[in-house]
Amino acid sequence: DKTVPTIIAASIASSNVDPTRAMSGDTVTVRFTASEELDVATVAANIGGVAATITGGPVSWIASRTVATASDATLTFSILATTADKVGQTLAAAVGTATTGPSTIAYDVTAPTLSTFLLRSNNPLNPAGAKLGDTVTLTFTSSEALKTPGVTIGGVAATVSGGPLIWTASNTLSGSPPAAIGFQILAAGCKDLAGNPIA
């Protein structure tokens, strides 16, 4: 065997609902296929600069790592150049580019924050007051892109639109609303794209 092994297919994905993103506790997996059988003792890969756990073989392999670092990062991968075939011939160079899909994972551990809240009604006489049939609207801003958040106005689920940073929630008053109309944005229903809830 005089043929240097190559990586003919590689992909990276996260266990997150969005496989291109990860939050603390998610597992990032690199799947790769070699052009020939590799020596299991030499197969090595890093994910985000940290050694990954290797399984599989002898041609199709999986490198995985559960991420739990404390700061946001772009996670790259590298199949190390010391990876060798059965007779000791190594890859010509490390491989860090996917053949399908993205080559990186966006790792996010920062909880989003909300600000600039404005609650008002469409009452023509007093936007600080409302009667049955009036629509009460909340606008607010998020520090980063969010999945559509869950909002209640006057204890009733509101219709939410906008995003990814500036949001509007509205509710037309009916039935027996409380005398003082307030709003609530639930942490469990307000998360960034990686799944981190608001603080």
Side-chain angles (χ1 to χ4, degrees), residues 20-39:
T20 67
R21 300 178 182 275
M23 58 187 291
S24 183
D26 286 341
T27 297
V28 177
T29 300
V30 175
R31 299 178 184 273
F32 59 99
T33 303
S35 58
E36 59 179 297
E37 293 187 2
L38 301 177
D39 179 1

Side-chain angles (χ1 to χ4, degrees), residues 105-151:
I105 298 293
Y107 178 66
D108 182 358
V109 292
T110 302
T113 57
L114 305 178
S115 61
T116 320
F117 301 98
L118 177 61
L119 185 69
R120 59 185 177 184
S121 82
N122 66 346
N123 188 288
L125 301 178
N126 180 14
K131 66 182 189 312
L132 290 178
D134 287 345
T135 298
V136 177
T137 300
L138 170 72
T139 59
F140 60 96
T141 301
S142 57
S143 60
E144 60 179 299
L146 302 177
K147 300 176 182 180
T148 302
V151 182

Side-chain angles (χ1 to χ4, degrees), residues 7 9-13 28-34 47 55 59-64 77 79 98-100:
I7 302 301
S11 64
I12 184 171
V28 177
T29 300
V30 175
R31 299 178 184 273
F32 59 99
T33 303
I47 297 175
T55 57
V59 173
S60 297
W61 300 85
I62 297 172
S64 60
F77 74 92
I79 302 166
T99 57
T100 57

Side-chain angles (χ1 to χ4, degrees), residues 8 27 37 39 52 83 89 97 104 125 134 137 141 151-152 156 164 168-169 172 175 180 187 189 191 195:
I8 59 176
T27 297
E37 293 187 2
D39 179 1
T83 297
Q89 297 176 118
T97 302
T104 61
L125 301 178
D134 287 345
T137 300
T141 301
V151 182
T152 63
V156 177
T168 300
T172 299
K191 301 178 179 180

